[in-house]
Amino acid sequence: MLIFGAGGHAKVVRSILSACGKQVNGVFDDNWQTINSLDMKVACCYDPELMPGEELIIAIGNNLDRRRVAEKIVHAFGVAIHPTVIVDRSVRIGEGVVIVHHAVVQAECCIGDHVIINTAATVDHECILENFTHIGPGATLCGGVRVGECALVGAGSVVLPGVKIGKECVIGAGSVVVRDIPDYAKVAGNPARIIH
């Protein structure tokens, strides 16, 4: 397996892959000159000809950066799902998905490409997470929630049943989202209100 990214989220992805018995054979990073980690095998900038048969995970937490990187990758994408995760058999999972320790994904959810479901997050039945979304640690999505492309649901947030969150939204940590949120909005609070 190959990883693109060598920051904090990459360390989590390495931990997941290790727990799954998968070896990391190389790491790409655009800022490879600034990396000082002895256990990272940094290959420098992305090279599509290096180990072309290996699958790759984009280990970047920022949604927009992850989308930007995905557009230039030639390698096939893998997935990284920690063994402590509970995922119902009916869930559809896209490519490049990372699901972190102790998360739960319930029946008939649809998880798009390059989605991150972070530590101990809960995604209840029939939720739709569009491409490049990030569900923060400990966040709870109740049933039937839809999260738009590149949206971030902050740590510890709760999204009530059936709510739709627009693309590129940011839901502040600890927010309680009780109604639909339009594209590009930033919200926070209980109940969550648009702040920008």
Side-chain angles (χ1 to χ4, degrees):
M1 186 74 75
L2 302 172
I3 294 177
F4 191 109
H9 185 60
K11 293 174 184 175
V12 174
V13 171
R14 286 176 63 101
S15 170
I16 294 168
L17 294 174
S18 176
C20 294
K22 296 181 181 178
Q23 182 175 342
V24 176
N25 294 317
V27 178
F28 300 110
D29 196 286
D30 289 339
N31 300 312
W32 62 273
Q33 300 94 330
T34 64
I35 295 166
N36 185 18
S37 180
L38 297 177
D39 66 335
M40 290 279 195
K41 301 173 184 174
V42 178
C44 75
C45 293
Y46 178 66
D47 182 351
E49 296 182 8
L50 183 65
M51 293 183 267
E54 290 279 336
E55 291 184 331
L56 183 143
I57 298 281
I58 302 172
I60 298 172
N62 181 286
N63 297 339
L64 298 176
D65 289 345
R66 199 163 61 257
R67 182 172 65 183
R68 176 186 53 80
V69 169
E71 292 170 353
K72 70 178 183 179
I73 299 297
V74 174
H75 286 80
F77 293 108
V79 297
I81 301 174
H82 194 270
T84 60
V85 168
I86 298 171
V87 178
D88 187 81
R89 289 183 299 179
S90 63
V91 173
R92 290 180 291 161
I93 296 176
E95 61 184 18
V97 169
V98 174
I99 308 180
V100 183
H101 310 60
H102 300 289
V104 177
V105 184
Q106 292 287 12
E108 297 187 20
C109 288
C110 182
I111 311 301
D113 297 338
H114 306 286
V115 168
I116 299 170
I117 301 174
N118 222 314
T119 310
T122 301
V123 180
D124 217 323
H125 61 89
E126 302 168 294
C127 287
I128 298 172
L129 307 184
E130 295 184 19
N131 298 342
F132 304 102
T133 61
H134 186 160
I135 309 304
T140 299
L141 305 184
C142 296
V145 168
R146 185 178 192 115
V147 182
E149 182 172 323
C150 287
L152 168 65
V153 177
S157 295
V158 176
V159 183
L160 295 190
V163 168
K164 294 177 178 58
I165 295 172
K167 65 182 177 182
E168 297 184 32
C169 285
V170 175
I171 309 300
S175 298
V176 178
V177 183
V178 300
R179 62 181 57 88
D180 292 355
I181 305 297
D183 293 348
Y184 310 110
K186 293 183 180 178
V187 304
N190 178 6
R193 302 186 195 292
I194 294 176
I195 57 174
H196 179 66

